[in-house]
Amino acid sequence: MDARYIKLENIQKRYDEISEMLSSEDIVKDMKQVTKLSKEQASLREAYLAYQELKSYDSDIEGSTELLHSDDHELKEMAKEEIADKEAKREVLLEKIDALLVPKDPEDDYDCIVEIRGAAGGDEGNIFAGDLYRMYNYYAESLGYKTQVMEASESEAGGYALISFLVKGTGAYRHFKFESGAHRVQRVPKTETQGRIHTSTATVLVLPDVEDADIEIPDSDLEIETHRASGAGGQHINKTDSAVRIVHKPTGITVNCQDGRSQMANRETALKIIRARVYEEYERQKREKEGAIRRSKIGTGDRSEKVRTYNYPQNRVTDHRIGLTINQLDRIMDGKLDDIVNALLANEEKEKLLDDDLS
């Protein structure tokens, strides 16, 4: 049995195992477990069904092959035609199966949280953060996704010192996950009087919007307090304790939300963000413990890692992880990111196949 069949057998075994577990009374009583198992089974279903189809083709081909030894000439010819037809269909199916067997990120289908911060360059870094936010909004819209601002700290010069927003839609994390890291812009700032080109940066962090079933955070691990919002904007500023700050005590991760219209809205947003950040931190610790961290071309998503440069004078954008350069920066900033994202996805698939072959 070749490696492909071994993987398919393991998928079938796990799929059937989950079916049995979902019929267990103990499991049915635990909705978190039901949700988790149902999601895992759904991710296996397409490969499982393809394997059933493959076994059917194999059985049909084997049966027709036996008929080739018949003394009946007409029957032998029919068997040859049947074999040719089934083998052609089997080859097409195998291509589909090979694509299905490429390891997938379990978070790919999730909604995602995108956080952008102005970094090096002062006001220009904040202005560029605003430009990236606009670009991502257009890109999300082109994919049929919805966006919702969660946190925002506007800069007096324009743009944002920080803006965090939710992207909702199946596959959102898959399409945005490569954006994590440092984005560098080269252009003449509006405040520059002598026409000199400056280099500034904004950092992006993309988190999967995980569900309660994916991570359990005990209430005792959270320190929640309310306070009066501060800064520009918002009718509730300095009038009510509508802002919410949450600290995850085991990791020290802190979230502060004040842009919602009520304390309840801010609390809900803060809990969503803290859940995503804590999940990411625990996943990072897990990978580190297992010794699985490696710096691939796609990168680690670390904020300090330079992932892309946007050169305005030359209308050029370069993704440094895969060495891709596109001389259509104006289109990219209008949210037409498909060429970049598709190239990153293709590279990810290639690297996963390589890792799979080496393992």
Side-chain angles (χ1 to χ4, degrees):
M1 185 180 292
D2 67 24
R4 182 192 286 130
Y5 277 81
I6 292 173
K7 291 177 185 176
L8 290 168
E9 278 290 331
N10 289 334
I11 288 172
Q12 177 177 274
K13 182 179 178 181
R14 180 57 180 165
Y15 189 92
D16 292 339
E17 186 179 79
I18 293 173
S19 293
E20 285 187 24
M21 293 171 72
L22 288 173
S23 64
S24 164
E25 288 186 12
D26 292 336
I27 297 292
V28 170
K29 293 176 184 177
D30 186 346
M31 283 310 299
K32 283 189 177 181
Q33 190 74 351
V34 169
T35 301
K36 186 175 182 180
L37 288 170
S38 297
K39 187 181 296 183
E40 181 185 353
Q41 189 176 55
S43 71
L44 300 174
R45 184 168 292 119
E46 196 172 359
Y48 173 84
L49 293 175
Y51 185 38
Q52 308 315 304
E53 189 177 357
L54 177 62
K55 288 192 292 184
S56 176
Y57 283 146
D58 288 345
S59 177
D60 289 346
I61 291 171
E62 184 179 354
S64 296
T65 301
E66 291 178 3
L67 295 177
L68 294 178
H69 303 293
S70 171
D71 293 330
D72 188 323
H73 177 73
E74 187 175 343
L75 192 61
K76 287 174 67 174
E77 288 303 311
M78 286 177 60
K80 287 180 182 179
E81 291 179 10
E82 178 74 7
I83 291 171
D85 177 61
K86 295 294 183 180
E87 285 187 342
K89 291 178 178 177
R90 182 178 181 276
E91 285 303 311
V92 173
L93 179 61
L94 286 175
E95 288 184 14
K96 176 184 176 182
I97 286 174
D98 287 340
L100 290 172
L101 290 178
V102 175
K104 295 178 181 177
D105 287 348
E107 297 94 1
D108 269 0
D109 289 336
Y110 284 25
D111 296 342
C112 67
I113 296 169
V114 182
E115 180 184 291
I116 310 170
R117 294 178 184 268
D123 288 341
E124 175 63 8
N126 293 337
I127 291 170
F128 181 50
D131 293 337
L132 290 177
Y133 170 59
R134 173 179 171 272
M135 177 184 78
Y136 291 140
N137 258 298
Y138 283 144
Y139 180 52
E141 186 179 308
S142 74
L143 295 170
Y145 298 152
K146 302 292 184 183
T147 60
Q148 174 190 331
V149 174
M150 304 177 77
E151 295 180 271
S153 177
E154 295 183 12
S155 168
E156 291 184 5
Y160 299 92
L162 160 69
I163 183 161
S164 178
F165 60 99
L166 177 67
V167 183
K168 302 183 71 173
T170 302
Y173 183 70
R174 179 173 185 265
H175 286 93
F176 278 84
K177 63 183 177 181
F178 301 118
E179 298 307 303
S180 287
H183 293 244
R184 183 174 69 171
V185 62
Q186 295 173 328
R187 64 185 178 190
V188 179
K190 295 176 182 177
T191 55
E192 171 59 53
T193 57
Q194 299 181 29
R196 291 176 299 187
I197 296 174
H198 289 225
T199 298
S200 305
T201 60
T203 61
V204 177
L205 178 65
V206 181
L207 304 168
D209 180 26
V210 295
E211 301 169 3
D212 289 336
D214 297 306
I215 181 170
E216 188 170 340
I217 302 177
D219 291 341
S220 58
D221 284 355
L222 299 177
E223 184 178 295
I224 304 176
E225 62 180 40
T226 60
H227 61 94
R228 291 189 178 182
S230 61
Q235 59 179 327
H236 301 293
I237 300 301
N238 297 323
K239 292 182 180 179
T240 63
D241 289 342
S242 61
V244 175
R245 180 184 294 111
I246 300 180
V247 179
H248 182 250
K249 290 182 284 187
T251 61
I253 293 172
T254 302
V255 171
N256 186 68
C257 288
Q258 64 179 39
D259 294 291
R261 296 185 60 83
S262 68
Q263 185 185 117
M264 185 179 294
N266 283 324
R267 180 188 175 95
E268 184 179 333
T269 297
L271 284 171
K272 184 181 284 287
I273 295 173
I274 205 88
R275 187 168 61 234
R277 290 184 181 171
V278 171
Y279 176 83
E280 183 210 29
E281 173 60 19
Y282 283 163
E283 285 295 299
R284 185 196 65 78
Q285 291 177 11
K286 179 182 175 184
R287 291 192 301 269
E288 192 172 44
K289 186 176 181 180
E290 293 172 350
I293 287 182
R294 67 182 182 85
R295 291 186 172 273
S296 66
K297 285 184 180 179
I298 291 298
T300 63
D302 191 285
R303 283 179 189 266
S304 63
E305 182 182 10
K306 182 180 70 177
V307 296
R308 200 173 295 148
T309 295
Y310 305 74
N311 186 299
Y312 275 72
Q314 297 181 31
N315 195 36
R316 184 183 70 217
V317 60
T318 299
D319 194 288
H320 303 288
R321 296 160 294 183
I322 54 175
L324 175 66
T325 295
I326 297 176
N327 293 306
Q328 294 179 321
L329 176 58
D330 50 346
R331 292 183 69 255
I332 298 298
M333 297 310 294
D334 281 338
K336 295 178 175 61
L337 286 167
D338 289 321
D339 288 345
I340 295 177
V341 174
N342 288 340
L344 288 163
L345 284 169
N347 190 76
E348 179 191 49
E349 183 172 319
K350 182 176 69 175
E351 290 197 342
K352 284 181 176 178
L353 284 171
L354 179 62
D355 285 349
D356 204 37
D357 289 340
L358 294 175
S359 62

